[in-house]
Each structure stands twice: as C-alpha cells, then as structure tokens.
Amino acid sequence: MDPGSAQYNPRTVEEVFRDFKGRRAGMIKALTTDVEEFYQQCDPDKENLCLYGLPNEQWEVNLPAEEVPPELPEPALGINFARDGMQEKDWLSLVAVHSDAWLLAVAFYFGARFGFDKSDRKRLFGMINDLPTIFEVVTGTAKKQSKEKSSTTNHSSNKSKPNPKVQRVSESQPKYPKGVEKEEEEGLDEEDEEHGETLCGACGENYASDEFWICCDICEKWFHGKCVKITPARAEHIKQYKCPSCSNKRARP
C-alpha cells in the first residue's frame, strides 16, 4: 500500500472532506509545529522523498509508491534535494504549495472514483475553499488577510492585549447593571466577530471563543493551546512564549 493511501475509501462528500482535513492537518503540523523533525528527515543525501499527509492528522516523509500506477496520486517527488539549496522559509513555502496541489488531487481522485456529479464536486470544492491553504498558513498570508478584513473596525483595540500570552476566551458571563447589559453584550459580539477571522498558526482553523489560545511573542501568531501543548495554567508562568517554529529557528549550515 502507498505510504499516503487511506485505510478506507471515503465515498461521500463529507467523508472525502474529512479525509482532506485530516491529511491537511498532518502536513501543516510537519511544516509548523514539527518543522525541526521534518527538516531533519528531508536529508538531501537520501533518495527521492515525498511528504505524505495521513487521514489521522499525522504525516510522514517516505519514498514514493513502487506500484505503477500508484493507488493514490503521488505528492511532489524529491523535496529533500532542494532543502539546502534555498532559504528554509522559501523551501517550506515550496513544499506547502506542492502539498496543496496534492491534497486537491487526492480529494478529486476520490470524487472521480466514486462518481461525484457536478453539484457534489462544487460542494466539495466549496468546503475545501473555506479553509486557508497550507501555503497561506505556513507563510502567514492567511493571518495577513484576516488583519486586512478587520483593519477597518476597531484597529486600535485589536492591538491592545492585556496579556499577550492569555487566551482570547470568553469567561463565564458576568452580570451587568440593566442599563449597560445590552451595550456590553454587543461589544462582546463584535469582539468575537473580529477574532473569528484569526487562524491558528499550527492547524489553520478559525478562532473559537470557547477554546484556549496563546500568542507567540516572537512572530505574534496565535495558536490553539492544544496544538502547541500549552495549558492555561502553564501559560500563566511563561514570561515570553515562543512557538515551536520560533524556538527551532537557528542558523542552518
């Protein structure tokens, strides 16, 4: 079986999209939170290597499938050869672009195999298109787009964070005097709407008011606590938080 092949065959639009999201999450993890390990596995002295995203949100660097034709479309071949010939961020961006192309190929391969009609394909693409691409997550483009969308509303308040390491989570609703209750609630709704454009720097998913988030003091990207394994209690004792990517940055030979 191919390294990136599924253990099952998704047959409905929802199943194919779930497969897409799982593979996408794994590849984003390889290029962000697990970037040091990914970098080391892509040894230019090895044979042609590929980055595979797996349906269970994991990833692996492996040789291409031996079967011809392969069970699934193959990702870009030989990503390891370009590793030392360009800046790391440019190399990661290149891998991200090819990863986006591979994810679409796999999704629409399943669609063709199981006879998706025009409306099914349109719905599948719509669901996929609602998510930022891997390239957008890795390069921070998705975050920049979100900032541009919300820059016309309360720009100054967006930059004022009482504690940059504390999550943007709405605590239990306080009780307000009757005269100001409605006004305060409207303010909270506006805040949730603005933060809803924020994307996790690890998984690329949108902000949710019931989840713990933490901001990197170096790159200023926001992350789900669960994606970077930081709890609210632990965050209170961190003076300067560095995300996995910033922590792993060092001069490459």
Side-chain angles (χ1 to χ4, degrees), residues 32-171:
T32 55
T33 56
D34 295 348
V35 68
E36 186 72 12
E37 181 183 352
F38 171 67
Y39 186 95
Q40 292 174 354
Q41 288 192 28
C42 291
D43 187 345
D45 293 332
K46 294 183 179 179
E47 297 183 50
N48 294 304
L49 294 175
C50 304
L51 171 61
Y52 293 91
L54 307 179
N56 63 354
E57 299 188 5
Q58 299 302 311
W59 60 274
E60 67 176 354
V61 172
N62 212 330
L63 295 170
E66 295 180 0
E67 296 92 344
V68 178
E71 185 177 346
L72 289 179
E74 283 292 303
L77 181 66
I79 57 172
N80 51 317
F81 296 146
R83 191 194 74 176
D84 293 344
M86 55 201 307
Q87 293 289 329
E88 181 181 349
K89 66 176 183 178
D90 295 331
W91 175 67
L92 293 174
S93 297
L94 179 64
V95 176
V97 168
H98 284 292
S99 299
D100 283 319
W102 179 68
L103 287 177
L104 284 172
V106 171
F108 282 87
Y109 162 81
F110 284 130
R113 180 176 177 182
F114 296 112
F116 286 8
D117 58 20
K118 181 178 179 181
S119 62
D120 288 335
R121 293 192 301 271
K122 184 176 181 180
R123 187 157 65 93
L124 175 61
F125 181 76
M127 296 165 75
I128 291 173
N129 203 40
D130 283 339
L131 296 173
T133 64
I134 297 177
F135 176 80
E136 289 172 337
V137 173
V138 170
T139 61
T141 307
K143 181 181 177 184
K144 291 177 184 176
Q145 291 174 347
S146 298
K147 281 187 174 181
E148 290 173 0
K149 288 179 183 177
S150 60
S151 61
T152 56
T153 58
N154 298 326
H155 180 67
S156 59
S157 64
N158 289 344
K159 296 182 69 177
S160 59
K161 298 189 284 284
N163 183 341
K165 294 182 262 312
V166 175
Q167 73 278 22
R168 297 207 273 299
V169 178
S170 55
E171 305 293 343

Side-chain angles (χ1 to χ4, degrees), residues 220-231:
E220 296 187 349
K221 289 183 180 179
W222 285 86
F223 299 86
H224 289 109
K226 62 183 180 182
C227 290
V228 291
K229 299 178 181 178
I230 298 292
T231 63

